[in-house]
Amino acid sequence: GGGGRKKVCRSEGCEKKPVRKGVCSDHGGKQNCKSEGCDNVAKEAGVCRKHGAKAKTCSQEGCANVVRQGGKCVRHGARVTASMICSAEDCTSRAQKGGVCRKHGAPARLCKVDGCTFHAQNRGVCFRHGAEQKRCSSEGCTNFAINGGVCRRHGATLKECSADGCTNRAENRGVCRKHGAQVKVCSADDCSNQARRGGVCEKHGATVRKRKICTMEGCTTRAVNGGVCIKHGAKVKQCKKENCNNNALKGGVCYRHREHNESEAASESSASASVSTTSNATAVQV
Protein backbone atom coordinates (compact mmCIF):
# COMPACT_ATOMS: atom_id res chain seq x y z
CA GLY A 1 0.00 0.00 0.00
CA GLY A 2 0.98 3.65 -0.38
CA GLY A 3 0.52 4.84 3.21
CA GLY A 4 2.96 4.05 5.99
CA ARG A 5 2.02 2.08 9.05
CA LYS A 6 0.42 4.11 11.83
CA LYS A 7 2.71 4.50 14.82
CA VAL A 8 1.32 3.33 18.15
CA CYS A 9 2.60 3.22 21.70
CA ARG A 10 5.03 0.32 22.18
CA SER A 11 3.42 -0.64 25.50
CA GLU A 12 1.60 -3.96 25.06
CA GLY A 13 -2.07 -3.59 24.08
CA CYS A 14 -1.94 0.23 23.79
CA GLU A 15 -3.14 1.82 20.55
CA LYS A 16 -2.46 5.44 21.48
CA LYS A 17 -0.10 7.69 19.55
CA PRO A 18 3.46 7.80 20.95
CA VAL A 19 4.51 11.16 22.34
CA ARG A 20 8.12 10.58 23.37
CA LYS A 21 10.56 7.65 23.28
CA GLY A 22 8.00 5.45 21.52
CA VAL A 23 5.37 5.60 24.26
CA CYS A 24 2.21 7.63 24.84
CA SER A 25 1.69 10.09 27.66
CA ASP A 26 -0.08 7.41 29.78
CA HIS A 27 3.02 5.20 29.67
CA GLY A 28 5.71 7.77 30.41
CA GLY A 29 5.95 9.66 27.13
CA LYS A 30 5.24 13.07 28.58
CA GLN A 31 8.09 15.21 29.81
CA ASN A 32 7.56 17.24 32.94
CA CYS A 33 8.65 20.85 33.26
CA LYS A 34 12.27 21.06 34.41
CA SER A 35 11.51 23.96 36.77
CA GLU A 36 12.02 22.85 40.35
CA GLY A 37 8.85 21.57 42.01
CA CYS A 38 6.70 21.87 38.85
CA ASP A 39 4.71 18.85 37.61
CA ASN A 40 3.20 20.49 34.52
CA VAL A 41 3.86 19.01 31.09
CA ALA A 42 6.76 20.63 29.25
CA LYS A 43 5.60 22.42 26.10
CA GLU A 44 8.78 24.01 24.76
CA ALA A 45 12.49 24.04 25.66
CA GLY A 46 11.80 21.69 28.58
CA VAL A 47 9.43 24.06 30.41
CA CYS A 48 5.68 24.51 30.73
CA ARG A 49 3.81 27.67 29.70
CA LYS A 50 3.82 28.89 33.29
CA HIS A 51 7.63 28.92 33.26
CA GLY A 52 8.23 30.46 29.85
CA ALA A 53 7.07 28.15 27.05
CA LYS A 54 5.36 30.24 24.38
CA ALA A 55 2.00 29.10 23.05
CA LYS A 56 1.31 29.32 19.31
CA THR A 57 -1.12 32.11 18.52
CA CYS A 58 -3.88 32.25 15.92
CA SER A 59 -2.73 33.14 12.39
CA GLN A 60 -5.64 35.57 11.99
CA GLU A 61 -4.29 39.13 11.84
CA GLY A 62 -4.57 40.92 15.18
CA CYS A 63 -5.65 37.80 17.12
CA ALA A 64 -3.63 36.62 20.13
CA ASN A 65 -5.77 33.58 21.02
CA VAL A 66 -4.11 30.17 21.35
CA VAL A 67 -4.11 27.95 18.25
CA ARG A 68 -6.49 24.99 18.47
CA GLN A 69 -6.51 23.50 14.97
CA GLY A 70 -5.13 24.34 11.51
CA GLY A 71 -3.31 27.43 12.76
CA LYS A 72 -6.58 29.01 13.95
CA CYS A 73 -8.28 29.57 17.29
CA VAL A 74 -11.85 28.44 17.95
CA ARG A 75 -13.19 31.93 17.18
CA HIS A 76 -11.59 31.96 13.71
CA GLY A 77 -12.51 28.51 12.48
CA ALA A 78 -10.84 25.76 14.52
CA ARG A 79 -13.31 22.92 15.02
CA VAL A 80 -14.18 21.91 18.55
CA THR A 81 -15.59 18.60 19.75
CA ALA A 82 -18.65 18.30 21.96
CA SER A 83 -16.43 17.52 24.96
CA MET A 84 -14.81 20.97 24.62
CA ILE A 85 -18.13 22.81 25.06
CA CYS A 86 -19.61 23.64 28.47
CA SER A 87 -22.09 20.97 29.55
CA ALA A 88 -24.48 23.52 31.11
CA GLU A 89 -27.81 23.77 29.28
CA ASP A 90 -27.88 26.28 26.37
CA CYS A 91 -24.26 27.33 27.00
CA THR A 92 -21.85 27.44 24.05
CA SER A 93 -18.78 28.64 25.94
CA ARG A 94 -15.64 26.53 26.01
CA ALA A 95 -15.33 24.09 28.92
CA GLN A 96 -12.39 24.95 31.17
CA LYS A 97 -12.40 22.24 33.84
CA GLY A 98 -14.87 19.64 35.01
CA GLY A 99 -16.79 19.91 31.73
CA VAL A 100 -18.03 23.45 32.42
CA CYS A 101 -16.97 27.01 31.63
CA ARG A 102 -15.92 29.55 34.25
CA LYS A 103 -19.39 31.06 34.30
CA HIS A 104 -20.85 27.70 35.37
CA GLY A 105 -18.32 26.78 38.03
CA ALA A 106 -14.94 25.96 36.49
CA PRO A 107 -12.25 27.23 38.89
CA ALA A 108 -10.16 30.05 37.47
CA ARG A 109 -6.39 30.11 37.81
CA LEU A 110 -5.09 32.81 40.10
CA CYS A 111 -2.07 34.98 39.46
CA LYS A 112 1.13 33.18 40.53
CA VAL A 113 2.49 36.26 42.33
CA ASP A 114 2.43 35.63 46.08
CA GLY A 115 -0.54 37.22 47.81
CA CYS A 116 -2.33 38.17 44.57
CA THR A 117 -5.95 37.01 44.19
CA PHE A 118 -6.60 38.34 40.67
CA HIS A 119 -7.23 35.89 37.81
CA ALA A 120 -4.23 34.88 35.70
CA GLN A 121 -4.66 36.15 32.13
CA ASN A 122 -1.54 34.83 30.38
CA ARG A 123 1.91 33.57 31.37
CA GLY A 124 0.48 32.75 34.79
CA VAL A 125 0.01 36.36 35.88
CA CYS A 126 -2.75 38.97 35.98
CA PHE A 127 -2.70 42.28 34.07
CA ARG A 128 -1.44 44.03 37.19
CA HIS A 129 1.66 41.82 37.30
CA GLY A 130 2.64 41.84 33.66
CA ALA A 131 0.12 39.86 31.62
CA GLU A 132 0.07 41.19 28.07
CA GLN A 133 -3.15 42.77 26.87
CA LYS A 134 -3.86 43.52 23.23
CA ARG A 135 -3.94 47.16 22.22
CA CYS A 136 -6.30 48.64 19.66
CA SER A 137 -4.98 48.10 16.13
CA SER A 138 -6.11 51.59 15.04
CA GLU A 139 -3.08 53.75 14.22
CA GLY A 140 -1.99 55.94 17.12
CA CYS A 141 -4.53 54.46 19.58
CA THR A 142 -3.30 53.11 22.93
CA ASN A 143 -6.66 51.86 24.25
CA PHE A 144 -7.09 48.17 25.00
CA ALA A 145 -8.76 46.06 22.31
CA ILE A 146 -12.16 44.67 23.27
CA ASN A 147 -13.06 42.58 20.24
CA GLY A 148 -12.11 42.44 16.56
CA GLY A 149 -8.70 43.87 17.45
CA VAL A 150 -10.11 47.33 18.20
CA CYS A 151 -11.32 49.35 21.17
CA ARG A 152 -14.89 50.57 21.64
CA ARG A 153 -13.98 53.98 20.22
CA HIS A 154 -12.85 52.40 16.93
CA GLY A 155 -15.72 50.02 16.38
CA ALA A 156 -15.64 47.23 18.97
CA THR A 157 -19.21 46.15 19.58
CA LEU A 158 -20.66 45.19 22.95
CA LYS A 159 -23.79 43.08 23.17
CA GLU A 160 -26.85 45.17 23.95
CA CYS A 161 -29.86 44.02 25.94
CA SER A 162 -32.34 42.11 23.78
CA ALA A 163 -35.35 43.82 25.42
CA ASP A 164 -37.20 46.13 22.99
CA GLY A 165 -35.90 49.69 23.07
CA CYS A 166 -33.17 48.97 25.65
CA THR A 167 -29.58 49.98 24.87
CA ASN A 168 -28.02 48.82 28.15
CA ARG A 169 -25.17 46.32 28.00
CA ALA A 170 -26.25 42.67 28.19
CA GLU A 171 -24.89 40.98 31.32
CA ASN A 172 -26.06 37.39 30.80
CA ARG A 173 -28.78 35.48 28.92
CA GLY A 174 -28.89 38.36 26.44
CA VAL A 175 -30.39 40.91 28.85
CA CYS A 176 -29.25 43.66 31.20
CA ARG A 177 -29.83 43.60 34.96
CA LYS A 178 -32.92 45.77 34.58
CA HIS A 179 -34.53 43.09 32.38
CA GLY A 180 -33.61 40.00 34.35
CA ALA A 181 -29.88 39.34 34.10
CA GLN A 182 -28.90 37.36 37.17
CA VAL A 183 -26.04 38.61 39.32
CA LYS A 184 -24.32 36.77 42.13
CA VAL A 185 -25.46 37.85 45.57
CA CYS A 186 -23.19 38.03 48.64
CA SER A 187 -23.07 34.68 50.48
CA ALA A 188 -23.14 36.36 53.91
CA ASP A 189 -26.37 35.75 55.86
CA ASP A 190 -29.19 38.23 55.17
CA CYS A 191 -27.07 40.23 52.71
CA SER A 192 -28.46 41.09 49.28
CA ASN A 193 -25.47 43.09 47.97
CA GLN A 194 -23.77 42.02 44.77
CA ALA A 195 -20.84 39.63 45.27
CA ARG A 196 -17.59 41.23 44.14
CA ARG A 197 -14.90 38.65 44.92
CA GLY A 198 -14.77 35.30 46.71
CA GLY A 199 -18.58 35.13 46.83
CA VAL A 200 -18.94 38.15 49.14
CA CYS A 201 -19.52 41.88 48.80
CA GLU A 202 -17.10 44.64 49.82
CA LYS A 203 -18.86 45.01 53.18
CA HIS A 204 -18.14 41.36 54.02
CA GLY A 205 -14.51 41.17 52.93
CA ALA A 206 -14.24 41.33 49.14
CA THR A 207 -11.13 43.26 48.14
CA VAL A 208 -11.61 45.48 45.09
CA ARG A 209 -9.37 48.00 43.44
CA LYS A 210 -10.09 51.43 44.85
CA ARG A 211 -10.96 54.23 42.48
CA LYS A 212 -8.39 56.96 42.16
CA ILE A 213 -9.38 60.17 43.87
CA CYS A 214 -8.47 63.64 42.64
CA THR A 215 -5.07 64.65 44.00
CA MET A 216 -6.15 68.23 44.74
CA GLU A 217 -6.21 68.88 48.47
CA GLY A 218 -9.64 68.44 50.03
CA CYS A 219 -11.22 67.04 46.86
CA THR A 220 -12.91 63.61 47.03
CA THR A 221 -14.15 63.47 43.42
CA ARG A 222 -13.00 60.62 41.20
CA ALA A 223 -9.90 61.38 39.11
CA VAL A 224 -10.57 61.24 35.36
CA ASN A 225 -7.09 61.67 33.89
CA GLY A 226 -3.80 63.25 34.89
CA GLY A 227 -4.61 62.46 38.53
CA VAL A 228 -7.30 65.13 38.76
CA CYS A 229 -11.05 65.44 38.32
CA ILE A 230 -12.76 67.50 35.59
CA LYS A 231 -13.24 70.40 37.99
CA HIS A 232 -9.48 70.60 38.59
CA GLY A 233 -8.28 70.34 35.02
CA ALA A 234 -8.78 66.83 33.68
CA LYS A 235 -9.21 67.02 29.90
CA VAL A 236 -12.37 65.49 28.47
CA LYS A 237 -13.80 65.47 24.98
CA GLN A 238 -16.52 68.01 24.34
CA CYS A 239 -19.62 67.58 22.23
CA LYS A 240 -18.84 68.13 18.54
CA LYS A 241 -22.01 70.16 18.01
CA GLU A 242 -21.32 73.84 17.40
CA ASN A 243 -21.40 76.10 20.49
CA CYS A 244 -21.99 73.14 22.85
CA ASN A 245 -19.67 72.81 25.85
CA ASN A 246 -21.14 69.60 27.30
CA ASN A 247 -18.98 66.49 27.65
CA ALA A 248 -19.20 64.00 24.79
CA LEU A 249 -20.62 60.62 25.83
CA LYS A 250 -21.01 58.49 22.71
CA GLY A 251 -20.58 59.14 19.02
CA GLY A 252 -18.83 62.41 19.78
CA VAL A 253 -21.98 64.13 21.09
CA CYS A 254 -23.43 64.86 24.52
CA TYR A 255 -26.56 63.24 25.92
CA ARG A 256 -28.77 66.17 24.87
CA HIS A 257 -27.65 66.05 21.22
CA ARG A 258 -27.69 62.28 21.14
CA GLU A 259 -31.39 62.33 22.07
CA HIS A 260 -31.97 65.06 19.49
CA ASN A 261 -30.30 62.99 16.75
CA GLU A 262 -32.33 59.91 17.67
CA SER A 263 -35.53 61.97 17.65
CA GLU A 264 -34.72 63.37 14.18
CA ALA A 265 -33.94 59.88 12.86
CA ALA A 266 -37.25 58.57 14.20
CA SER A 267 -39.14 61.49 12.58
CA GLU A 268 -37.46 60.88 9.21
CA SER A 269 -38.27 57.18 9.42
CA SER A 270 -41.89 57.95 10.22
CA ALA A 271 -42.11 60.48 7.36
CA SER A 272 -40.64 58.06 4.82
CA ALA A 273 -43.06 55.37 5.96
CA SER A 274 -45.96 57.81 5.53
CA VAL A 275 -44.81 58.75 2.01
CA SER A 276 -44.48 55.08 1.11
CA THR A 277 -48.02 54.35 2.35
CA THR A 278 -49.44 57.32 0.38
CA SER A 279 -47.65 56.20 -2.81
CA ASN A 280 -49.02 52.68 -2.46
CA ALA A 281 -52.55 53.99 -1.93
CA THR A 282 -52.30 56.21 -5.02
CA ALA A 283 -51.04 53.29 -7.08
CA VAL A 284 -53.98 51.14 -5.99
CA GLN A 285 -56.51 53.89 -6.96
CA VAL A 286 -54.95 54.28 -10.41
Side-chain angles (χ1 to χ4, degrees), residues 33-70:
C33 177
K34 63 184 180 183
S35 293
E36 189 177 353
C38 183
D39 295 324
N40 293 335
V41 177
K43 297 289 185 182
E44 185 184 51
V47 291
C48 65
R49 288 180 187 165
K50 182 179 178 182
H51 291 107
K54 293 181 180 179
K56 287 184 180 179
T57 55
C58 179
S59 58
Q60 186 78 16
E61 190 176 352
C63 181
N65 293 336
V66 177
V67 165
R68 292 295 166 194
Q69 187 187 57

Side-chain angles (χ1 to χ4, degrees), residues 30-264:
K30 68 179 181 180
Q31 180 185 2
N32 286 343
C33 177
K34 63 184 180 183
S35 293
E36 189 177 353
C38 183
D39 295 324
N40 293 335
V41 177
K43 297 289 185 182
E44 185 184 51
V47 291
C48 65
R49 288 180 187 165
K50 182 179 178 182
H51 291 107
K54 293 181 180 179
K56 287 184 180 179
T57 55
C58 179
S59 58
Q60 186 78 16
E61 190 176 352
C63 181
N65 293 336
V66 177
V67 165
R68 292 295 166 194
Q69 187 187 57
K72 302 283 186 181
C73 65
V74 176
R75 182 180 171 194
H76 292 112
R79 294 180 183 178
V80 293
T81 60
S83 60
M84 293 173 70
I85 303 299
C86 178
S87 58
E89 191 176 355
D90 297 328
C91 183
T92 56
S93 298
R94 186 177 164 230
Q96 299 288 331
K97 201 170 183 180
V100 290
C101 64
R102 286 185 188 174
K103 180 181 174 183
H104 291 107
R109 285 188 305 160
L110 295 181
C111 178
K112 66 183 180 183
V113 175
D114 289 339
C116 183
T117 55
F118 289 107
H119 291 170
Q121 299 296 329
N122 53 56
R123 298 185 181 180
V125 291
C126 63
F127 290 131
R128 186 179 177 185
H129 290 110
E132 293 180 357
Q133 189 171 359
K134 288 190 293 182
R135 297 279 181 178
C136 178
S137 57
S138 227
E139 191 176 352
C141 183
T142 57
N143 293 335
F144 290 121
I146 296 175
N147 58 46
V150 291
C151 65
R152 198 184 303 184
R153 179 183 170 195
H154 290 108
T157 54
L158 296 176
K159 287 185 179 179
E160 289 189 349
C161 178
S162 57
D164 288 340
C166 183
T167 57
N168 292 337
R169 183 181 176 185
E171 297 279 342
N172 56 53
R173 297 184 181 179
V175 291
C176 64
R177 293 179 192 177
K178 181 181 176 182
H179 291 106
Q182 295 178 353
V183 292
K184 288 184 180 179
V185 177
C186 179
S187 57
D189 292 338
D190 300 321
C191 182
S192 57
N193 293 335
Q194 183 184 350
R196 306 291 292 177
R197 187 177 291 274
V200 291
C201 64
E202 292 179 52
K203 182 180 176 182
H204 291 105
T207 54
V208 293
R209 197 169 8 178
K210 292 182 179 179
R211 289 181 173 180
K212 290 182 179 178
I213 303 299
C214 179
T215 53
M216 293 297 288
E217 189 176 353
C219 183
T220 56
T221 307
R222 183 185 175 189
V224 176
N225 59 47
V228 291
C229 64
I230 296 173
K231 181 181 176 182
H232 290 111
K235 294 179 180 179
V236 291
K237 288 186 177 180
Q238 290 188 331
C239 179
K240 63 184 180 183
K241 289 288 184 180
E242 194 175 352
N243 298 324
C244 182
N245 296 320
N246 293 334
N247 295 337
L249 297 176
K250 191 176 180 182
V253 292
C254 65
Y255 185 78
R256 182 163 67 92
H257 286 109
R258 182 185 170 191
E259 281 194 327
H260 178 71
N261 290 346
E262 289 175 352
S263 176
E264 281 188 341

